[in-house]
Amino acid sequence: MNGASAIAIIGAGTMGHGFAQLFAQHGHPVQLADQSPRVAAAGKEAIRTNLEVVVAEGFSTAAEAAAALERITVADGLAAAVAGADFVLEAVFESLPVKLDCWRRLSDHAPAEAILASNTSSFDINELAGVVQAPDRVIGTHWFNPPQIVPCVEVIPGSKTSLATVEATIELLKSLGKAPAVTKNVPGFVANRIQMVMASEAFRCLEEGVASAEDIDQIVKTSFGFRLGAYGIFEIADLAGLDTYLGVYDYLLEKYEDDRYRAPRLLRELVEQGKAGVKAGGGVYGYSGEEALRVREERDRKLYARLRAYLGERDAPERAVGAESGHGKV
Ligand code: NAD
């Protein structure tokens, strides 16, 4: 897909209107459809407001934002939306019967060469591919709210998805400034497997009264959450020391006697092989002597940049969401 592609977004709710905004901001003509014409029209209105923020934050000029809005057409139904599409992105309710019905219609009305993508959070891509005429053009793209801002898109090929479909989807996502990452077609893909386990533990801490909701959120935002925007789980673990992680797991397992604290087999093996992280010249990743030095220097530079952003936000409380909403206590 070179240059501007014709995009159809099916479902104009929480995610769908964000998709329409993003593609339009990158020069693509967008047809936005929803089973409810009211929601589709409201979606376009929400985009108008969102674009004011885009301009205020310096990501676009007012003229560019106006042009982006012009590229979005509220379509008269699904068939009209997908009729001339190169890339269709489905964002309807997370209900399998609703999605299957929608995908049958997509298959009937989209051009033969169009890529058909779903933003499903949980469903097996093969189930959706099973009701279309050309399953080689079906792919999962799992985005994160708000999709016009959050970089990651998990790309999930089904068992019949062609390599050409995968490559064209990744190319398109990169052209939007996104960070696509391919995952296997397993429940929860990668992000939700990690996020849900983390959220469970936070809820348990809250229900056990270990700390208040506010303090738990603050601990997350200012500790590992503070680092997570710059470093992934494995990069952080390698910097901390995998032997340290193993010691923490073993202690928690002994105290809580709960399998969820059992050290993962791979972590134990790495430590047993002497791969304790950056300090040992290797952990999940390998590090030559020079690389280990560079990784440590880079860590401080990246984290100071995040510290600057954090202190800036903290010292401008009127802009913080929590300050506006007042956060009712649980
Ligand atoms: P939503 O309820 O806000 O919007 C869904 C929209 O789809 C509604 O406006 C509805 O009217 C419309 N719709 C339903 N059936 C339709 C049909 N047959 N044809 C056209 N429009 C139809 O839902 P959402 O949060 O935007 O989620 C959409 C999809 O994205 C789901 O699969 C969800 O799991 C996934 N997702 C959501 C998030 C999130 O944070 N909200 C994140 C990642 C993935």
Side-chain angles (χ1 to χ4, degrees), residues 205-267:
C205 287
L206 184 58
E207 71 192 17
E208 290 169 21
V210 179
S212 66
E214 289 79 1
D215 281 347
I216 294 170
D217 270 345
Q218 175 165 310
I219 289 164
V220 171
K221 285 190 285 188
T222 56
S223 63
F224 60 85
F226 175 83
R227 295 184 305 224
L228 275 177
Y231 286 98
I233 301 275
F234 301 131
E235 292 164 330
I236 291 175
D238 273 357
L239 276 162
L242 299 188
D243 52 341
T244 306
Y245 268 44
L246 186 58
V248 174
Y249 275 117
D250 286 347
Y251 183 78
L252 293 181
L253 181 64
E254 185 194 325
K255 293 296 172 190
Y256 285 103
E257 296 178 341
D258 189 318
D259 231 32
R260 72 180 188 270
Y261 297 113
R262 187 176 298 284
R265 179 182 48 77
L266 176 61
L267 174 75

Side-chain angles (χ1 to χ4, degrees), residues 13-15 34-35 39 91-94 98-99 119 121 143 145:
T14 309
M15 299 297 283
D34 198 286
Q35 62 179 2
V39 172
V92 305
F93 297 138
E94 189 76 353
V98 170
K99 284 212 195 278
N119 184 43
S121 305
W143 305 60
N145 192 32

Side-chain angles (χ1 to χ4, degrees), residues 9-19 33-40 77-78 90-95 97-99 101-103 105-106 118-123 141-147 189 192:
I9 307 294
I10 309 304
T14 309
M15 299 297 283
H17 80 277
F19 294 142
D34 198 286
Q35 62 179 2
S36 156
R38 188 189 53 75
V39 172
L78 178 147
E90 170 272 309
V92 305
F93 297 138
E94 189 76 353
S95 147
V98 170
K99 284 212 195 278
D101 176 62
C102 179
W103 276 71
R105 292 196 293 134
L106 288 183
S118 175
N119 184 43
T120 178
S121 305
S122 59
F123 298 141
T141 57
H142 180 230
W143 305 60
F144 297 82
N145 192 32
F189 314 128
N192 273 336

